[in-house]
Amino acid sequence: MKELLQALTPGERDWRIASRLDPKRLPAHIAIIMDGNGRWARQRNYPRIMGHKAGVDPVRTVVETCAQMGLEAVTLYAFSVENWKRPRHEIDGLWRLLRIYLRRELANLMRNDIQLAAIGRMESLPGFVQDELQSVMSRTAQNRGMRLNLAINYGGRTELVDAVNSILENARLEGNLDSLDINEEAITAHLYTAGLKDPDLLIRTSGEMRISNFLLWQIAYAELYVTDTLWPDFTRTELLEAIFEYQNRDRRFGGITRACASPADTASLLLEEEAIELPLA
Ligand code: IPE
Ligand code: IPE
Ligand code: MG
């Protein structure tokens, strides 16, 4: 967090929001559904690919800001398994943009000590995209500051299917298929995000109130922040505001907070049978 405050000018708006954040309660992992590029382009009568191109700058801003705050991980939804339904020329344009992004950003990733990982079914991507991803992943493999996951050809259901198949494959290899007992830990350990904490905060731009097959398992208890802002218009200010709102949420994880516990609860009087008089239906 110190690094971000140092990078900002004291007194300016982002500095003021950043200084109100509690550095001890930052989200460890932020996931973002970067939506609205097409609508951004349509508003300007541009081809859709111009919206995707305009979406590159906010990616850089968000990634750099999160690294400066010292977050552990950021996962960005760049292309879903369902996005193959789009016109061929839009998809081809996205791959070309991805290559340009990767080439341009390598220096920034190194400077900010960021390790890049791709999550999704990479084998279906065009060869030149796989090569570029491989190259940036291996060059950033020793970076330890923050993990940046790019979800490309990613689907939450596909990921779960891949996890279960990989558990089965391992059991087959080890010869213990008959006694296999799958639990939550085993599934978590075979997801593309194995080893990372679950996202604490899930941001979606452009106002759609849906998950669109993103990180279905991992977002079980993520706090949701949906904004009408279209992705190309998403700024550092709004990222900081989203984190501020996150810090004001009451995360209960199915339990209760102190504020909701009455004195009688804490004295556990209600545990005595005669004290509980439930109205009969
Ligand atoms: C998100 O923007 C980027 C990708 C899915 C690749 P969209 O392209 O979905 O933009 P809208 O939803 O059409 O505005
Ligand atoms: C989700 O956005 C996928 C990405 C942001 C990459 P979509 O635009 O594909 O989602 P839907 O179709 O509106 O649900
Ligand atoms: Mg969309």
Side-chain angles (χ1 to χ4, degrees):
M1 193 70 205
K2 234 197 249 157
E3 207 188 308
L4 174 66
L5 288 169
Q6 275 166 4
L8 299 171
T9 315
E12 69 160 321
R13 190 186 158 133
D14 287 1
W15 183 89
R16 288 202 308 272
I17 309 172
S19 2
R20 281 161 69 207
L21 297 176
D22 177 353
K24 287 194 225 63
R25 290 190 305 115
L26 289 173
H29 183 172
I30 297 183
I32 307 183
I33 302 175
M34 311 183 288
D35 197 14
N37 295 352
R39 276 161 281 178
W40 184 94
R42 200 174 54 205
Q43 283 175 356
R44 290 159 179 79
N45 260 323
Y46 292 163
R48 290 179 59 87
I49 195 68
M50 294 297 282
H52 298 310
K53 196 169 168 220
V56 174
D57 270 352
V59 170
R60 179 180 305 128
T61 307
V62 162
V63 168
E64 184 164 50
T65 307
C66 291
Q68 289 170 333
M69 279 190 290
L71 304 196
E72 290 174 32
V74 169
T75 300
L76 303 177
Y77 206 3
F79 191 89
S80 74
V81 290
E82 286 82 17
N83 286 147
W84 293 105
K85 294 174 190 160
R86 296 186 179 206
R88 186 77 242 171
H89 61 90
E90 179 175 348
I91 298 175
D92 289 345
L94 281 168
W95 301 140
R96 284 199 297 275
L97 263 180
L98 179 58
R99 175 162 65 178
I100 295 171
Y101 169 79
L102 291 168
R103 287 193 177 163
R104 278 213 203 126
E105 289 315 297
L106 179 62
N108 279 339
L109 298 177
M110 296 311 287
R111 199 181 51 245
N112 290 294
D113 199 21
I114 297 166
Q115 184 188 106
L116 182 90
I119 61 168
R121 290 190 174 166
M122 291 308 114
E123 63 278 12
S124 317
L125 302 183
F128 75 90
V129 178
Q130 293 188 42
D131 293 346
E132 204 63 46
L133 279 166
Q134 266 315 327
S135 150
V136 179
M137 285 193 289
S138 57
R139 292 213 215 168
T140 60
Q142 305 306 320
N143 292 350
R144 290 289 171 266
M146 185 181 86
R147 164 88 163 258
L148 169 62
N149 293 319
L150 289 184
I152 306 169
N153 195 21
Y154 174 89
R157 290 182 174 180
T158 324
E159 180 180 31
L160 285 166
V161 169
D162 287 350
V164 172
N165 277 323
S166 131
I167 294 172
L168 289 174
E169 178 66 17
N170 284 354
R172 239 178 252 122
L173 289 171
E174 286 160 20
N176 53 15
L177 200 52
D178 287 349
S179 57
L180 179 64
D181 183 20
I182 297 180
N183 54 26
E184 291 191 10
E185 286 70 33
I187 292 183
T188 302
H190 285 82
L191 295 174
Y192 307 144
T193 52
L196 294 176
K197 288 183 186 143
D198 286 342
D200 301 294
L201 172 62
L202 171 66
I203 297 175
R204 181 164 189 152
T205 56
S206 89
E208 309 302 351
M209 303 295 266
R210 57 177 172 258
I211 298 301
S212 302
N213 202 9
F214 192 39
L215 302 175
L216 297 180
W217 178 276
Q218 298 90 331
I219 58 165
Y221 269 103
E223 292 297 323
L224 309 183
Y225 178 90
V226 178
T227 170
D228 284 337
T229 304
L230 305 176
W231 177 252
D233 294 326
F234 193 78
T235 57
R236 181 172 61 196
T237 307
E238 191 157 10
L239 172 69
L240 296 173
E241 280 168 355
I243 298 174
F244 185 76
E245 183 173 321
Y246 161 83
Q247 292 196 331
N248 284 298
R249 300 273 180 91
D250 184 12
R251 299 188 81 190
R252 291 191 288 276
F253 297 97
I256 56 172
T257 47
R258 267 170 172 279
C260 295
S262 70
D265 292 334
T266 40
S268 67
L269 282 176
L270 286 174
L271 286 178
E272 288 165 33
E273 215 170 290
E274 59 273 27
I276 308 173
E277 278 174 33
L278 295 173
L280 293 174

